[in-house]
Amino acid sequence: MNLIKKTDRIFIAGHTGMVGNSIKKKFKEFSYKNLLTPDREELDLLDNKSVDNWFKENKPEVVILAAAKVGGIEANSKYPADFIFENLKIQTNVIENSWKNNIKRFIFLGSSCIYPKFAEQPIKENYLLTGKLENTNEPYAISKIAGIKLCASLKTQYGFDAISLMPTNLYGPGDNYHSSNSHVMPSLIKKFHDAKMNNKPHVTCWGSGSPKREFLHVDDIAEAVIFVLEKVSSDNKYLFEGDLKYTGVLNIGIGEDISIKKLAELIANNFEYRGDIYWDNTKPDGTPRKLLDVSLINKLGWNAKIDIESGIRLTIESFKNELFENTIRIK
């Protein structure tokens, strides 16, 4: 028996982003009928009054908060105030109004950057707040931690049905390929595409290439969201520390990581790029390793389907198609 219905009014906050768009497509694929996807003119998530009015008028029953200001190391380093300020406002507005309007199920999408920089690997959910965060994205991480704790506190005090999912590094169709404010996967895809197209003899990548990261395709996180909404009660024992303290946190990942150097080589091979790869050690590496322990979500019955090699191929195909479509529009 599912905990939500196909006819529920489901609000996807952030439906135009990479993750939100994938969630929207999966809901449609799974035959959900009433998806609420307002545009920015109709709903400004940074404005509490706008969010309050929209909730009263549209009466969502299920909410997925996938909206966030995101970026890579460079963007987080340049605009730390923007990352904490905007994310705190978006989260507070959506979570508060979901609670006030008695929605029956809520999903908050966080990030694996909430965990300590030098956390023991693989990272378990209860490692949260046990050590110092990575400096390069600390403001973003703190905003996400605040969102987790707000959801958990509302559950503890008022019974608010909220679960926080912590996906590892996400990638896939619709990613941000900006040269300076994208994440590592799309950044490398753009670098090697440009190098291939312009016959560049070498590509320079940030850092040493030694850090390891885990990557999850957006179609997998979309299916995880629907699985949790349908099958996982917020009263499930795995969402508590001991018998009393509600955490509401579940890691979402594939359970395997890869070095940035190996990732770069895989992407280069997909583009059939044969030039040299240089590593700029003057640039920061970030956290040395970040592999999530996904045993809890696996025990609940969900497993990722898309391996890294297949995911990269699918993402590069999508990237090339987007470039082709943009070229046609320009002409």
Side-chain angles (χ1 to χ4, degrees), residues 50-204:
S50 173
V51 179
D52 178 59
N53 289 336
W54 185 88
F55 266 78
K56 289 175 180 176
E57 291 173 5
N58 292 276
K59 298 178 172 50
E61 297 166 278
V62 177
V63 176
I64 301 99
L65 179 47
K69 182 178 179 61
V70 298
I73 289 177
E74 184 174 356
N76 273 271
S77 298
K78 282 186 175 181
Y79 310 109
D82 292 351
F83 276 89
I84 191 168
F85 187 53
E86 292 187 25
N87 283 306
L88 284 174
K89 290 182 77 172
I90 291 169
Q91 293 167 191
T92 303
N93 291 342
V94 176
I95 295 169
E96 179 187 13
N97 281 286
S98 295
W99 163 62
K100 281 168 51 179
N101 287 275
N102 299 310
I103 62 97
K104 68 179 185 180
R105 303 231 67 193
F106 185 93
I107 295 290
F108 175 66
L109 285 176
S111 165
S112 59
C113 71
I114 63 165
Y115 294 114
K117 178 175 182 177
F118 298 110
E120 182 181 341
Q121 305 289 317
I123 305 170
K124 297 180 183 293
E125 287 87 348
N126 60 11
Y127 293 175
L128 180 62
L129 296 178
T130 60
K132 184 176 174 59
L133 298 167
E134 160 59 37
N135 284 334
T136 56
N137 58 18
E138 183 184 74
Y140 175 77
I142 287 174
S143 72
K144 288 296 183 182
I145 293 169
I148 293 166
K149 293 301 182 182
L150 178 54
C151 287
S153 297
L154 288 169
K155 164 70 176 176
T156 300
Q157 188 171 344
Y158 297 106
F160 181 54
D161 191 317
I163 296 177
S164 298
L165 304 185
M166 297 304 113
T168 190
N169 298 280
L170 297 170
Y171 70 100
D175 210 337
N176 170 24
Y177 295 96
H178 191 277
S179 58
S180 63
N181 64 13
S182 61
H183 288 114
V184 61
M185 177 82 80
S187 175
L188 290 173
I189 287 174
K190 188 173 191 309
K191 278 179 183 287
F192 285 104
H193 167 266
D194 291 352
K196 176 69 174 181
M197 296 300 294
N198 296 298
N199 296 312
K200 292 183 178 180
H202 68 267
V203 169
T204 300

Side-chain angles (χ1 to χ4, degrees), residues 225-237:
V225 166
I226 297 174
F227 172 84
V228 171
L229 285 171
E230 289 182 341
K231 305 297 184 184
V232 183
S233 166
S234 61
D235 292 327
N236 190 285
K237 64 180 181 179

Side-chain angles (χ1 to χ4, degrees), residues 206-213 258-262 279 281 285 287-289:
W206 273 40
S208 66
S210 63
K212 288 187 172 183
R213 293 290 183 271
I258 183 175
S259 73
I260 300 302
K261 181 178 181 181
K262 178 64 176 176
W279 294 93
N281 289 299
D285 271 337
T287 305
R289 191 183 186 200

Side-chain angles (χ1 to χ4, degrees), residues 184-186 188-190 192-193 262-273 312 316:
V184 61
M185 177 82 80
L188 290 173
I189 287 174
K190 188 173 191 309
F192 285 104
H193 167 266
K262 178 64 176 176
L263 176 67
E265 291 169 352
L266 283 174
I267 292 171
N269 288 337
N270 269 274
F271 281 112
E272 298 183 347
Y273 177 73
I312 288 173
I316 289 176

